[in-house]
Amino acid sequence: MKKYLLQSIRLTAVLLVLLCVIYPLIVAFGGGFSKGNGGGEKITKNGKVVGYALIGQNFSKPEYFWGRPSAVGYNAAGSGGSNKGPSNEEYLAVVSGRIDTLLKYHPYLKKADIPADMVTASGSGLDPNISEQAAIIQIKRVAANRGLTDRAVAELVVKNTEGPLLGMFGPSVVNVLKLNLALDELKK
């Protein structure tokens, strides 16, 4: 028994050093090579940080593009999903309310035209991107509320659309914060 106890203590010590010291140092070192040097890609406007590229924000004014709903109220400290499945009545009521809101502000849409990412939260609750289709359905509303042509706003959406990772992994997406900042610049 003494033999197994000593082996367990040694293994625990090795794993503590490996997982609590060496691994975090490697991750921190690797993060130094990413955008923002591991501190996140900050987005600035007039020299002031207005957000981060990988953390979604709440835009609810009709003159802005809306992002994906958040299950955590866009609180970056409390990332997480709702943990409610598609058969949960409470969840279905929330999604139905989101659909009704979208149809109210986009009367030209049919229920079937609404992309899922406009009415369902992501697993983290902080997704900064929407699908290209989710941006396209909002063009008329944004253009009308800003006094711009649909074409000018559509061109802005195209300029801010990021293709799939390596050209083949995942869908084309639009970062809502970057798009809305570009929209503010367009107005000037």
Side-chain angles (χ1 to χ4, degrees):
M1 177 154 155
K2 187 175 182 182
K3 174 183 170 185
Y4 295 118
L5 185 60
L6 288 174
Q7 285 178 341
S8 298
I9 291 171
R10 277 192 224 122
L11 180 61
T12 301
V14 168
L15 288 175
L16 277 171
V17 170
L18 181 67
L19 298 175
C20 296
V21 177
I22 295 172
Y23 177 73
L25 288 174
I26 291 170
V27 170
F29 178 75
F33 295 107
S34 67
K35 290 182 182 178
N37 297 323
E41 183 184 349
K42 296 175 184 166
I43 298 178
T44 59
K45 181 178 178 180
N46 301 326
K48 189 177 180 183
V49 175
V50 293
Y52 289 84
L54 297 179
I55 298 178
Q57 294 185 24
N58 186 21
F59 291 97
S60 56
K61 293 182 179 177
E63 63 267 19
Y64 285 106
F65 282 89
W66 299 340
R68 192 163 187 179
S70 174
V72 294
Y74 301 96
N75 179 359
S79 174
S82 70
N83 294 329
K84 294 179 181 155
S87 62
N88 182 294
E89 289 183 25
E90 184 181 326
Y91 175 73
L92 292 175
V94 169
V95 171
S96 181
R98 292 173 181 159
I99 291 170
D100 292 344
T101 299
L102 272 172
L103 292 174
K104 175 183 170 187
Y105 285 93
H106 304 87
Y108 48 87
L109 286 179
K110 295 181 188 106
K111 196 174 182 178
D113 297 334
I114 299 173
D117 60 324
M118 289 304 297
V119 294
T120 59
S122 66
S124 69
L126 299 170
D127 195 343
N129 302 321
I130 56 174
S131 64
E132 187 176 15
Q133 185 60 30
I136 290 169
I137 68 164
Q138 298 182 68
I139 290 173
K140 280 186 179 184
R141 173 185 47 83
V142 171
N145 281 287
R146 287 192 172 249
L148 299 169
T149 64
D150 289 0
R151 182 180 176 137
V153 177
E155 287 173 2
L156 197 62
V157 168
V158 169
K159 286 180 188 174
N160 284 278
T161 299
E162 301 169 15
L165 179 66
L166 302 176
M168 63 181 147
F169 297 112
S172 294
V173 295
V174 179
N175 184 289
V176 179
L177 176 58
K178 290 179 181 179
L179 177 60
N180 284 333
L181 289 173
L183 192 61
D184 285 342
E185 291 298 317
L186 185 66
K187 190 67 174 173
K188 291 180 179 180

